[in-house]
């Protein structure tokens, strides 16, 4: 990323500071303040384990000291691939304390995705669990390291749980327990410096974390988020959701997902002095038990979870009285489901249309039911700039459909180290081309009506069609391939791979095994494989995916 080109101008930065959006405080310093303000309040709950704000602050110091002993310092990137456990939060703030930069990976990512993240970010370390959901992450890390020269692969792998015997693998427990006086675990200079002790000397304008984009190209892009912009993201959402120190947020969706982490999620809750409860799995049984036990007030879901939650609530065996607001986003929520959810759980529903790149739209808690159920909300910041344009880039009137372009105080101006992609992903005046087709209502609310980007949204999981197509073509029997999203009752969309083959086409299982072998995350395997004699083309010679989807529905 060329800082001069792909960031906010001096004038814009000054405006965002003057407006109070950018407060000039790093996350490391914010945690220190939170500990001073709310020391004895419970910040974090995971099963039977609890951390007050003072505990969390002290733990961040401990983790930071251990990481520093491994040579991690200001500006260093560290890939964090952890499931929903407290350690995600401990590691995250430990890194912030050093001015180091967490790279948010998803638990489902495999060799190809993690290898790519490691290469692009130049990560010095990775943090993984030993095993999770019957998968061994140490083996994944071994494979990633084997594929890269030592100079280009992470020096250290921190393992939550049993690190095994591999050289360079260290246990998280040992790392956090190591004090500067226990040599062999941490280097003697591992004590934190007295200056920058809150944040390793980081600047609030520095990149604080890297998020993964849903992707539209062969390789996923990294999204740089600064301390200033990301804290504003969380705070602006927290204000709309009226968070305070009584808030108890249940993290059901993966913590690495921007929605659960900062919209307002983890960060919004902690910045407000509330309590974060992590759910180890997204089932309504697990979640409802936590709602009862911890008095959860707010949570967030993707649409496919909504039906399960509504069904389980109907059993009548749970007391969900504390739960006030349920956010739903990441994919389009059908209006009928939105109308059912509120009464079924006895909550206020909030639709969330957001993106890792920045812009977050929320329906307001006091919006009339029709807006809550039939729109995807409106921007959280008065300084979010929205333009809806036609195919020629000309603004369309309110109510008409067009591509959503946006810029503002927490929307990126450029992907990380992606100079070429940045030339087309933004307009010359810095608007991000979302690839989403929306209608804007006179109230400012947006209705998502479609998409022009080559991405499939499988119930909130984003799949870049090109990334999968490239790997399908590696299969010896496949000569041409197109991955298409088609309407699906349960997930909104499911993936269909249209393949042209020399002989008989491989079945769904064989294709899944092939993609797994290629190192792709399992959720990217097509739900269906359809053999065709050729792929239809549009007038400009692109694969005509709309025609493919239509013909499939007609069969
Ligand atoms: C969230 O973030 P990403 O980066 O995984 O995906 C962003 C894309 C959007 O551009 C849009 O295509 C789609 O996901 N999307 C929705 C939606 N919310 C996101 N499409 C229809 N209706 C919605 N409510 O998905 C994300 C990030 C922060 C908060 C919430 C979601």
């Amino acid at each position: 990323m060329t800082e001069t080109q792909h960031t906010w101008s001096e004038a814009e930065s000054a405006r965002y500071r003057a407006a109070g959006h950018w407060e000039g405080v790093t996350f490391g310093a914010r945690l220190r303040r939170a500990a001073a303000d709310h020391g004895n309040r419970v910040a974090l709950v995971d099963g039977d384990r609890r951390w007050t704000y003072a505990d969390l602050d002290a733990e961040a110091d401990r983790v930071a000291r251990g990481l520093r002993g491994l040579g991690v310092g200001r500006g260093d990137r560290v890939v964090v691939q952890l499931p929903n456990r407290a350690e995600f939060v401990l590691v995250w703030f430990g890194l912030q304390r050093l001015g180091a930069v967490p790279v948010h990976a998803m638990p489902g990512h495999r060799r190809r995705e993690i290898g790519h993240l490691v290469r692009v970010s130049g990560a010095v370390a990775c943090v993984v669990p030993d095993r999770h959901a019957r998968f061994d992450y140490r083996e994944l890390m071994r494979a990633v390291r084997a594929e890269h020269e030592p100079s280009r692969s992470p020096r250290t792998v921190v393992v939550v749980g049993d690190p095994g015997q591999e050289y360079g693998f260290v246990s998280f427990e040992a790392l956090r327990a190591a004090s500067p006086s226990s040599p062999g675990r941490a280097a003697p200079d591992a004590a934190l410096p007295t200056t920058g002790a809150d944040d390793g000397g980081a600047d609030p304008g520095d990149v604080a974390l890297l998020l993964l984009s849903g992707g539209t190209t062969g390789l996923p892009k990294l999204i740089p988020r600064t301390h200033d912009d990301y804290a504003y993201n969380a705070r602006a959402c927290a204000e709309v959701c009226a968070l305070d120190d009584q808030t108890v947020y249940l993290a059901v969706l993966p913590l690495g997902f921007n929605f659960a982490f900062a919209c307002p999620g983890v960060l919004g809750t902690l910045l407000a002095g509330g309590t974060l409860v992590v759910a180890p799995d997204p089932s309504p049984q697990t979640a409802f038990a936590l709602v009862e036990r911890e008095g959860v007030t707010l949570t967030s879901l993707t649409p496919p979870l909504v039906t399960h939650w509504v069904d389980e609530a109907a059993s009548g065996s749970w007391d969900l009285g504390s739960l006030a607001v349920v956010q739903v986003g990441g994919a389009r929520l059908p209006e009928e489901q939105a109308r059912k959810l509120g009464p079924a759980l006895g909550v206020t529903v909030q639709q969330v249309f957001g993106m890792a790149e920045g812009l977050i739209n929320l329906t307001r808690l006091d919006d009339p039911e029709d807006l809550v159920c039939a729109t995807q909300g409106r921007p959280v910041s008065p300084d979010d700039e929205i333009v809806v344009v036609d195919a020629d880039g000309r603004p369309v009137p309110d109510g008409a459909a067009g591509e959503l372009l946006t810029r503002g105080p927490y929307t990126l101006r450029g992907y990380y180290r992606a100079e070429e992609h940045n030339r087309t992903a933004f307009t010359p005046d810095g608007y991000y081309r979302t690839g989403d087709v929306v209608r804007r209502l006179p109230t400012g609310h947006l209705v998502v009506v479609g998409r022009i980007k080559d991405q499939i949204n499988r119930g909130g999981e984003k799949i870049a069609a090109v990334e999968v197509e490239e790997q399908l073509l590696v299969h010896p029997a496949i000569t041409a391939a197109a991955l298409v999203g088609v309407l699906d009752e349960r997930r909104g969309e499911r993936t269909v791979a249209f393949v042209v083959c020399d002989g008989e086409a491989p079945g769904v299982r064989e294709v899944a095994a092939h993609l797994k072998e290629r190192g792709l995350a399992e959720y990217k395997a097509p739900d269906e494989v359809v053999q065709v004699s050729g792929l239809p083309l549009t007038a400009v010679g692109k694969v005509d995916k709309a025609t493919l989807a239509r013909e499939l529905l007609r069969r």
Side-chain angles (χ1 to χ4, degrees):
M1 184 172 84
T2 310
E3 293 295 336
T4 47
Q5 249 185 324
H6 286 292
T7 190
W8 297 274
S9 71
E10 268 311 315
E12 284 162 323
S13 302
R15 189 154 66 85
Y16 297 149
R17 281 188 205 105
H21 302 331
W22 293 2
E23 294 181 324
V25 186
T26 60
F27 284 110
R30 282 179 189 278
L31 178 60
R32 196 72 89 204
R33 284 189 191 177
D37 293 346
H38 318 284
N40 293 326
R41 300 188 57 83
V42 176
L44 175 61
V45 178
D46 177 0
D48 296 332
R49 304 183 296 163
R50 272 158 205 275
W51 289 260
T52 64
Y53 277 86
D55 294 338
L56 183 56
D57 187 45
E59 194 61 34
D61 279 337
R62 246 175 250 128
V63 174
R65 209 176 287 124
L67 287 167
R68 210 177 119 80
L70 297 168
V72 178
R74 178 178 171 191
D76 284 341
R77 278 80 59 206
V78 173
V79 173
V80 179
Q81 188 185 27
L82 290 172
N84 279 21
R85 302 303 307 267
E87 281 77 9
F88 188 111
V89 180
L90 307 181
V91 167
W92 200 88
F93 279 105
L95 289 167
Q96 296 301 335
R97 191 120 290 169
L98 292 171
V101 181
V103 183
H104 287 208
M106 289 295 160
H109 287 147
R110 295 296 178 257
R111 208 175 70 235
R112 189 159 290 276
E113 291 92 4
I114 300 296
H116 174 68
L117 285 184
V118 159
R119 273 191 306 279
V120 177
S121 70
V124 300
C126 295
V127 188
V128 295
D130 49 4
R131 298 179 58 85
H132 171 70
R134 287 179 291 146
F135 182 76
D136 193 326
Y137 287 81
R138 295 161 300 190
E139 270 171 33
L140 170 62
M141 290 317 305
R142 270 194 284 278
V144 167
R145 296 219 299 177
E147 274 180 358
H148 296 84
E149 302 161 33
S151 64
R152 297 192 61 211
S153 83
R155 285 193 301 271
T156 309
V157 177
V158 177
V159 181
V160 176
D162 174 11
Q165 297 300 317
E166 188 92 0
Y167 178 77
F169 284 30
V170 299
S171 128
F172 173 74
E173 261 318 301
L175 171 138
R176 62 166 286 284
S179 73
S181 57
S182 52
R185 285 175 164 177
D189 70 345
L192 287 166
T194 45
T195 56
D198 292 346
D199 54 20
D203 185 276
D206 285 350
V207 174
L209 69 154
L210 288 163
L211 292 174
L212 197 57
S213 91
T216 51
T217 60
L219 295 167
K221 298 286 176 290
L222 288 176
I223 298 162
R225 303 293 303 256
T226 67
H227 295 267
D228 269 336
D229 98 65
Y230 206 52
Y232 179 50
N233 187 129
R235 211 175 56 246
C237 291
E239 264 165 40
V240 172
C241 297
L243 297 204
D244 60 24
D245 61 4
Q246 299 303 303
T247 297
V248 181
Y249 177 73
L250 182 68
V252 166
L253 300 173
L255 288 167
F257 185 21
N258 182 40
F259 185 10
F261 204 70
C263 305
V266 173
L267 291 180
T269 301
L270 295 178
L271 298 183
T275 301
L276 162 67
V277 179
V278 293
D281 72 75
S283 73
Q285 292 80 5
T286 299
F288 291 174
L290 288 168
V291 170
E292 284 187 347
R293 197 183 80 185
E294 305 294 340
V296 170
T297 61
L298 168 71
T299 192
S300 26
L301 304 176
T302 51
L305 291 172
V306 168
T307 3
H308 300 298
W309 281 49
V310 168
D311 290 348
E312 182 59 29
S315 73
S317 40
W318 303 98
D319 174 8
L320 303 179
S322 64
L323 197 55
V325 177
V326 173
Q327 302 181 293
V328 187
R332 177 72 193 268
L333 176 68
E335 189 178 331
E336 322 80 70
Q337 280 193 28
R339 293 200 187 270
K340 271 190 210 151
L341 180 61
L345 268 63
V347 297
T348 299
V349 173
Q350 179 177 64
Q351 291 212 44
V352 184
F353 163 40
M355 52 207 73
E357 282 81 358
L359 180 70
I360 305 294
N361 302 280
L362 301 177
T363 55
R364 301 309 198 254
L365 302 183
D366 58 356
D367 272 345
E369 192 188 326
D370 284 344
L371 282 179
V372 170
C373 296
T375 80
Q376 280 63 57
R378 61 183 173 85
V380 293
S381 171
D383 285 313
D384 282 319
E385 297 173 78
I386 299 283
V387 193
V388 182
V389 300
D390 64 18
D392 299 321
R394 280 188 300 253
V396 300
D398 274 355
E403 185 187 7
L404 168 65
L405 310 184
T406 185
R407 67 177 183 190
Y410 61 96
T411 294
L412 89 173
R413 289 305 182 91
Y415 291 94
Y416 188 73
R417 298 181 175 170
E419 209 42 59
E420 190 165 319
H421 185 65
N422 286 340
R423 277 196 276 277
T424 53
F426 300 85
T427 67
D429 45 5
Y431 281 86
Y432 166 58
R433 302 182 201 270
T434 66
D436 291 314
V437 177
V438 304
R439 290 193 298 116
R440 181 170 48 185
L441 308 184
T443 56
H445 289 68
L446 302 177
V447 180
V448 182
V449 297
R451 202 183 311 131
I452 55 170
K453 54 190 169 189
D454 199 4
Q455 185 187 76
I456 297 158
N457 191 335
R458 193 168 169 267
E461 285 175 338
K462 315 306 183 313
I463 300 169
V466 186
E467 190 186 6
V468 179
E469 289 160 0
E470 279 175 0
Q471 299 307 320
L472 287 172
L473 288 176
V474 176
H475 190 284
I478 300 175
T479 56
L483 192 76
V484 179
V486 300
L487 284 178
D488 181 76
E489 183 119 1
R490 205 163 66 86
R491 293 181 182 273
E493 273 177 87
R494 71 194 145 94
T495 49
V496 179
F498 290 90
V499 294
V500 180
C501 296
D502 278 339
E504 202 186 325
V508 174
R509 277 162 184 254
E510 186 183 333
V511 167
H514 164 74
L515 294 176
K516 187 173 176 184
E517 212 273 312
R518 297 292 302 163
L520 225 55
E522 266 172 52
Y523 67 87
K524 294 179 186 171
D527 296 305
E528 199 178 328
V529 178
V530 175
Q531 186 169 14
V532 287
S533 55
L535 297 174
L537 298 181
T538 64
V540 295
K542 286 194 196 170
V543 173
D544 188 350
K545 295 192 171 183
T547 296
L548 283 169
R550 256 197 319 275
E551 282 178 6
L552 185 76
L553 291 176
R554 228 185 285 141
R555 291 190 326 173

